[in-house]
Amino acid sequence: MKTKLKDNNIFRWIIIPLSLILCFIGHFIPETGTIPKDALTLILIFIGILILWLTIGIDWPSILCLFSLGFIPSFGFNKVFTSSFGNGTFFFLLFTFVATYALSKTSLIKRTAIGFINFKLARKNSYLFIFFFLLGTLFLGLFISPSVLFLILLPILKEIYELLEIEKESKMAKVMMLGLGFSVSISSGMTPIAHVFPILAINAANLTISTLEYTLIALPSGFILFILMYFLLILFIKPEKREIDFDKIKKLKNNLEKINKKDITVLIIFIVILILWIIPSLFENIYPPIYEFFSKYGTAMPPLLGVIALLIIRIGGEPIIKVDEAFTKGVPWSSLMMCAATLALGEAFKSNDIGLIIYLENTLSTYLINLSPILLLIIFSSWAAIQTNLSSNMVTATLVATIASSVITITMSSINIYSVIVIIGMLSSFAFATPPSMPHIAIISASESASTKDCLIYGSIVMLISIIISLIISYPLGLLIF
């Protein structure tokens, strides 16, 4: 979603040259004897790229980031390429996006969403009808990227408006539209499956956190936030109670394509991918040999295996997915390029040859050593939640996780770094308040059912609730798991 600043040519002519200067001026600054020259160069590159990410976009600035890092003498282009495009996380995301794209092309997503609003309990009143529609959204969002899910469900919501004769400016329409967007955002932080923000946070901190470990913390936290979000919208907006004509709702179900062999095959393949992700964590303490056997192949192997199956298996004389379609329409390349850039940045930050971490340890420890663990937790949770509601989720996840891991390492704090990084990854996904926070929030803000003001007011309240939940629920859960 472009802002007025991004459309201003004068603004671009100032920001882009300034950022380019920052990316390369470090090579011409003489050695000061305090901070290593390569470390200073890295900091300036990070600042320059961060400015571009926040003001211009994430696509070509991410590629510029890789190019700039290659000129750091103690890092070089070989390390840039191996730490970004050669990183297992890059391929984990690439093949997961392709696998979820295949799933989104079936009728299963729409069928599941419509199935939730056809529950008997949903037929009791309009409040329960809204709840089950949003619950279906939350469930599907555990496995589908937020933008894709929103674009799939938005036409269904509009058809519900039409079938039930719900006026687009009504309170009920407002609750359902805001609830749809907020539920999509909440679900994107509840698992690392097809969600780039938690993965970026984990990698920025250079930690190993399994899919199961992350989910055990984020899933209950996200569900509690979802329940509170629902009651917030119902109690404050107070949509009218009305009878739901379920004969009309059945039309949605009747208009769906029948489940076919392709749908079933894609579902089976996706379930196998999920099982291969979860198995290692289940057997880590029960039977370590199984854990070690699966873990050695990494998280990228299951979706890679699934994509191979999707490409090989033919139904009706055609492969389930075609390579060109899957890798062009199914992969958000801008996001993936930023992921590559942040992976390379993370490797550069922790490089002993560059020496930035050593410098920070020597200079910042005296200032940070006296901060209490609780204060650090509050600072990083609030920072992640507020920034992600004002700017890029990916920038938030990378920036906050990088600094949090460095600070906690420097201070030797008793705070649990694994729990903090899970919280940062989760909160980086919880974007509700402003159009720049996520594309689907921008769409909601411009809709007939909700306004920018609605998103700002109710989104900000949900954001504050998410911070409280991360402090009193997520962190204690993390202490039990890690």
Side-chain angles (χ1 to χ4, degrees):
M1 184 73 178
K2 292 185 176 182
T3 65
K4 292 181 180 179
L5 288 177
K6 292 179 188 177
D7 292 330
N8 191 312
N9 288 329
I10 297 176
F11 176 79
R12 290 176 62 88
W13 278 107
I14 295 172
I15 289 296
I16 293 176
L18 174 63
S19 300
L20 287 171
I21 290 171
L22 288 170
C23 286
F24 296 100
I25 196 172
H27 301 289
F28 305 99
I29 298 176
E31 190 77 51
T32 61
T34 53
I35 181 171
K37 185 174 181 178
D38 285 357
L40 177 61
T41 302
L42 175 60
I43 292 173
L44 292 172
I45 290 173
F46 181 65
I47 294 172
I49 297 300
L50 187 60
I51 291 171
L52 291 173
W53 277 340
L54 292 173
T55 60
I56 302 298
I58 63 172
D59 41 19
W60 67 261
S62 298
I63 299 174
L64 174 64
C65 177
L66 298 173
F67 183 72
S68 304
L69 291 173
F71 286 100
I72 298 178
S74 58
F75 201 62
F77 281 97
N78 285 337
K79 283 188 179 179
V80 168
F81 295 140
T82 55
S83 62
S84 56
F85 301 114
N87 192 294
T89 300
F90 180 87
F91 289 99
F92 163 79
L93 290 170
L94 174 64
F95 295 121
T96 300
F97 282 136
V98 174
T100 54
Y101 171 74
L103 187 64
S104 71
K105 296 298 288 182
T106 68
S107 65
L108 297 172
I109 304 300
K110 292 182 179 180
R111 188 174 294 277
T112 302
I114 294 171
F116 271 90
I117 59 177
N118 273 284
F119 282 145
K120 287 184 178 180
L121 196 57
R123 302 180 183 184
K124 289 187 176 295
N125 57 59
S126 55
Y127 283 11
L128 285 172
F129 176 80
I130 294 171
F131 176 79
F132 279 99
F133 173 74
L134 300 182
L135 184 63
T137 301
L138 189 79
F139 173 76
L140 291 170
L142 301 179
F143 316 103
I144 305 294
S145 66
S147 296
V148 171
L149 179 62
F150 183 80
L151 292 176
I152 290 173
L153 295 183
L154 184 59
I156 295 177
L157 178 59
K158 290 182 177 179
E159 195 166 351
I160 289 173
Y161 287 169
E162 189 173 328
L163 287 174
L164 300 182
E165 298 178 353
I166 299 173
E167 295 182 3
K168 293 179 181 179
E169 298 83 7
S170 68
K171 291 183 177 181
M172 185 171 179
K174 179 184 292 189
V175 168
M176 295 188 75
M177 181 64 76
L178 288 172
L180 173 62
F182 292 174
S183 299
V184 167
S185 293
I186 293 171
S187 66
S188 69
M190 291 170 66
T191 74
I193 301 169
H195 304 138
V196 68
F197 318 122
I199 299 299
L200 287 176
I202 293 169
N203 279 279
N206 193 33
L207 298 177
T208 300
I209 299 173
S210 71
T211 300
L212 182 61
E213 288 169 337
Y214 179 94
T215 304
L216 286 174
I217 298 172
L219 190 68
S221 302
F223 184 72
I224 292 170
L225 179 61
F226 167 78
I227 296 295
L228 294 176
M229 177 273 297
Y230 167 77
F231 282 111
L232 169 73
L233 296 179
I234 292 294
L235 293 175
F236 282 84
I237 298 178
K238 297 179 181 178
E240 60 278 8
K241 282 190 176 182
R242 53 177 292 173
E243 294 293 326
I244 302 296
D245 187 346
F246 277 91
D247 288 333
K248 293 181 178 179
I249 289 296
K250 286 181 181 179
K251 290 182 180 179
L252 288 172
K253 191 173 182 179
N254 295 334
N255 291 337
L256 286 172
E257 296 179 5
K258 291 183 178 180
I259 295 177
N260 52 41
K261 290 182 180 179
K262 182 177 178 180
D263 294 347
I264 295 172
T265 305
V266 171
L267 180 61
I268 291 172
I269 291 172
F270 198 78
I271 290 173
V272 170
I273 293 172
L274 294 177
I275 291 172
L276 291 176
W277 273 330
I278 294 172
I279 279 180
S281 298
L282 292 176
F283 285 91
E284 184 175 6
N285 297 318
I286 299 174
Y287 190 65
I290 292 181
Y291 168 77
E292 293 168 3
F293 174 79
F294 284 100
S295 294
K296 66 183 179 181
Y297 296 110
T299 57
M301 183 276 287
L304 172 59
L305 177 64
V307 170
I308 291 173
L310 291 168
L311 293 170
I312 290 177
I313 298 174
R314 301 175 72 88
I315 296 177
E318 294 285 338
I320 296 176
I321 57 171
K322 296 179 181 179
V323 173
D324 53 352
E325 178 187 358
F327 284 85
T328 53
K329 296 181 180 180
V331 179
W333 284 103
S334 293
S335 299
L336 210 54
M337 286 300 103
M338 185 175 181
C339 175
T342 56
L343 289 170
L345 273 172
E347 188 68 26
F349 275 123
K350 69 183 182 183
S351 170
N352 289 330
D353 293 330
I354 290 178
L356 178 59
I357 294 298
I358 297 172
Y359 170 76
L360 291 174
E361 288 175 355
N362 295 333
T363 56
L364 297 182
S365 57
T366 55
Y367 299 102
L368 300 172
I369 195 70
N370 294 322
L371 291 180
S372 68
I374 296 298
L375 182 58
L376 284 175
L377 181 59
I378 293 173
I379 288 172
F380 289 122
S381 298
S382 301
W383 181 4
I386 293 170
Q387 181 176 327
T388 204
N389 275 279
L390 297 174
S391 64
S392 167
N393 314 78
M394 287 182 283
V395 174
T396 301
T398 302
L399 177 62
V400 182
T402 299
I403 295 178
S405 60
S406 299
V407 168
I408 292 170
T409 301
I410 291 167
T411 59
M412 302 299 289
S413 173
S414 59
I415 194 170
N416 187 306
I417 181 62
Y418 290 89
S419 301
V420 172
I421 296 305
V422 170
I423 288 171
I424 291 171
M426 181 180 69
L427 291 177
S428 296
S429 310
F430 291 170
F432 319 105
T434 66
S437 62
M438 268 199 183
H440 64 267
I441 299 299
I443 295 172
I444 291 171
S445 300
S447 70
E448 296 178 72
S449 302
S451 65
T452 302
K453 182 180 178 181
D454 292 323
C455 289
L456 182 60
I457 293 173
Y458 298 108
S460 296
I461 297 173
V462 176
M463 178 195 72
L464 291 174
I465 296 172
S466 71
I467 295 173
I468 296 170
I469 288 175
S470 71
L471 296 174
I472 66 175
I473 295 175
S474 307
Y475 188 74
L477 280 174
L479 294 180
L480 294 174
I481 292 170
F482 297 113

